[in-house]
Every structure is written in C-alpha cells, then in structure tokens.
Amino acid sequence: MDIIKYHWNKSILLNDAIIAHSYNGNREWYKNKYLETKLIRSRNSWHYQGAADLIDSGMKYFSKRKDIDYVIVLAADTWLIDADYIESVILEMRQNNLFVATCAWGNSQRNELSDVGMATDFIIVDNKWAAKYKLFPLKYKSFYNKYNELFTYKNSHTINVEKLMFTRYIQAINRYDLNSIGSRNRIYNHIHIMKEREPIHINNKWERQMYWRDIGILTHHSPCDKRIILYDNNIKYGSGIYKLLNSDDLSYYNKGITVMEDNCN
C-alpha cells in the first residue's frame, strides 16, 4: 500500500488510486485500516479457494464503483514498483478495446493460456466491462463442488485458479460478442498479453521467477529479497516500507511469527 500511495503518485492515471484490501487473515493481526479505502474481511478458505475468494470479494466492491475504469488485481506478495509500466498497459487497453491484461501462467515448454490459464497474481481488468459481462465472481467453491469427482477420476489433484480465470474470461467474451463462440481469434483479440513477464516459471518443475526488473514486478515470499530491491530502487516512503527496510524479519508485523506454519496461512 505504501508503494501504491507514495510511489505511484508520479503517474497521472494512478496518483489517486483507490485501494480495496481483501483480507482473510486473523483479525488480531490486522485490526484497523491502514491506507486502504475499503477493508474487506472474509473467512480464510485456504490456498486455492482462498485466492479466488479474495479476488471475488474485491471485485464485488469495485463492480459497484461506477467511477472506477480499471482495476489492478494484486496478490499480497506481488508488488509493482514501476508505475510507468502499468500506465502504458492501461493506455493500450483503452486505445485498442482490450478488456483484460495478464499473461500465461506457464513455462517455456507450456505457455498457452488455454493450457495453463491466466496469471491472477497480477491482472488488470476493464471494470465496467467486467461488471456488465460477469467476468467475476470466479465461483471457485461451486466449481469445485460440481467437478471435483471428475478431477479426481482423471488423477488431477488441483483445480487451478488461473485456468478457472481463463474459463470465466471466455464466458464473459461470449456474452459480449455472440460471434466469438468457438472463435480463438475473437477470444484473444481483447487480451493484452504481458509478454515481458513470460514465462512465469523458469523450468518444467514450475519453479517461479520472482523478479522482473524491466517492468518492476516483485513476487518474492521472503522480505529479505524484497528489501534489497527496494533499496536499489530508492523505494523508501511510507511507515510500512520504513519498518521493512529497518527490520530483519516480519516478526514486528506477524506477532512474533517468523516462519509461517500451515495453520497460519
């Protein structure tokens, strides 16, 4: 939030960004709002459904905001320090009738959206289009309940949020343009693919790349890795950034927890 409020302000498009913080951690860890306009608390439904539920609750809020043109969806560990890149993507979306900006959640061997799905840790959506054509909610739980037996039968252990996102996008495009049904070109004609970020994973073991220097995206899970990059890029404003730069770990924030356990997801 410090980055958004204090380091995106050079951007004409982003200097008054509205932050909706979708949160499903323990209430005592985050008792009050910080810099967000809207704090949305929800039940923690764990990793896959939890990720989808957080997106759904945030987008439900924005779908009612008619004054918001574009929504930038960010996972908690995804930080964007280059406002110029985000602005350039939004301008292209506006000029070329593009409704979603993302990239494939793949690797160098598998990198088709239809195969691996859309990255959801960083995705930009045309808010009015998404609301009108029902891009959200992702409805992970209902999808899981309906098709889990089939996935188990096919020996697939995970219902992938990124592939479900691509499914919902196709459904929304089909509502928008009846002629797009079955047409690969029409489906892809309205997506800005962030080629600069591909591939997300560096090998076929699905080990992730964590830093895209040229476009300023950080997704490290360790605060130590992020601290180095913040120093290098002179990212220093905001009380949260100050604490991070001057602390060895996040125990000051996580009530003494330094290594997250399964029951602290």
Side-chain angles (χ1 to χ4, degrees):
M1 289 189 230
D2 284 339
I3 292 171
I4 292 170
K5 284 294 186 182
Y6 302 122
H7 294 276
W8 287 12
N9 56 10
K10 64 179 179 179
S11 166
I12 296 174
L13 289 182
L14 304 173
N15 62 10
D16 59 350
I18 299 298
I19 301 175
H21 176 195
S22 189
Y23 177 80
N24 64 6
N26 291 342
R27 179 177 287 271
E28 60 267 26
W29 291 355
Y30 198 85
K31 295 181 179 179
N32 303 301
K33 292 199 301 183
Y34 176 50
L35 295 175
E36 61 269 57
T37 305
K38 179 70 174 180
L39 173 60
I40 305 165
R41 297 188 186 274
S42 60
R43 176 178 172 272
N44 192 332
S45 44
W46 302 100
H47 183 47
Y48 294 105
Q49 182 185 327
D53 288 350
L54 288 172
I55 294 171
D56 284 348
S57 60
M59 290 307 304
K60 181 178 180 181
Y61 167 76
F62 279 117
S63 70
K64 300 174 182 178
R65 292 287 304 254
K66 305 305 180 185
D67 57 327
I68 301 294
D69 294 323
Y70 293 93
V71 177
I72 303 165
V73 179
L74 295 171
D77 57 15
T78 303
W79 299 2
L80 305 182
I81 61 175
D82 188 343
D84 291 341
Y85 175 71
I86 311 168
E87 185 174 280
S88 69
V89 171
I90 291 175
L91 289 173
E92 182 176 344
M93 292 175 69
R94 179 177 290 171
Q95 292 166 5
N96 295 303
N97 201 34
L98 307 177
F99 306 130
V100 172
T102 183
C103 66
W105 190 249
N107 59 44
S108 58
Q109 287 78 42
R110 291 178 57 193
N111 206 53
E112 282 291 327
L113 287 172
S114 58
D115 181 26
V116 296
M118 293 176 158
T120 57
D121 63 336
F122 171 32
I123 184 169
I124 304 175
V125 299
D126 181 317
N127 188 44
K128 296 181 178 67
W129 181 88
K132 183 175 182 178
Y133 296 103
K134 299 180 176 60
L135 178 60
F136 301 98
L138 297 177
K139 297 185 289 187
Y140 185 98
K141 184 177 181 179
S142 63
F143 184 86
Y144 179 92
N145 290 340
K146 187 174 182 179
Y147 296 111
N148 183 49
E149 284 187 338
L150 177 61
F151 277 76
T152 302
Y153 176 79
K154 292 175 66 66
N155 198 31
S156 176
H157 304 292
T158 301
I159 295 177
N160 188 287
V161 178
E162 290 77 15
K163 294 185 75 171
L164 183 58
M165 178 74 228
F166 187 61
T167 299
R168 298 302 181 217
Y169 167 74
I170 292 174
Q171 292 172 333
I173 282 291
N174 288 341
R175 295 185 191 103
Y176 165 75
D177 180 4
L178 296 177
N179 294 319
S180 69
I181 298 175
S183 170
R184 176 186 172 89
N185 287 339
R186 286 195 174 98
I187 289 171
Y188 282 81
N189 280 347
H190 298 287
I191 306 176
H192 171 88
I193 304 295
M194 299 176 184
K195 289 292 184 183
E196 305 92 338
R197 199 184 175 203
E198 293 183 345
I200 292 280
H201 301 88
I202 59 179
N203 54 40
N204 58 10
K205 295 181 181 179
W206 298 94
E207 295 174 340
R208 281 174 55 186
Q209 185 174 179
M210 294 296 186
Y211 181 34
W212 290 263
R213 182 186 303 274
D214 292 343
I215 54 179
I217 299 177
L218 296 67
T219 63
H220 308 84
H221 298 160
S222 166
C224 299
D225 296 320
K226 280 179 168 155
R227 182 187 300 112
I228 294 170
I229 296 168
L230 295 181
Y231 269 124
D232 290 345
N233 288 274
N234 199 33
I235 305 294
K236 59 185 179 181
Y237 298 111
S239 62
I241 294 293
Y242 178 83
K243 287 180 180 178
L244 177 61
L245 293 179
N246 292 279
S247 302
D248 293 330
D249 55 49
L250 294 183
S251 58
Y252 67 88
Y253 178 76
N254 287 328
K255 308 303 179 187
I257 296 173
T258 56
V259 177
M260 299 301 284
E261 300 174 355
D262 289 344
N263 62 351
C264 302
N265 187 13

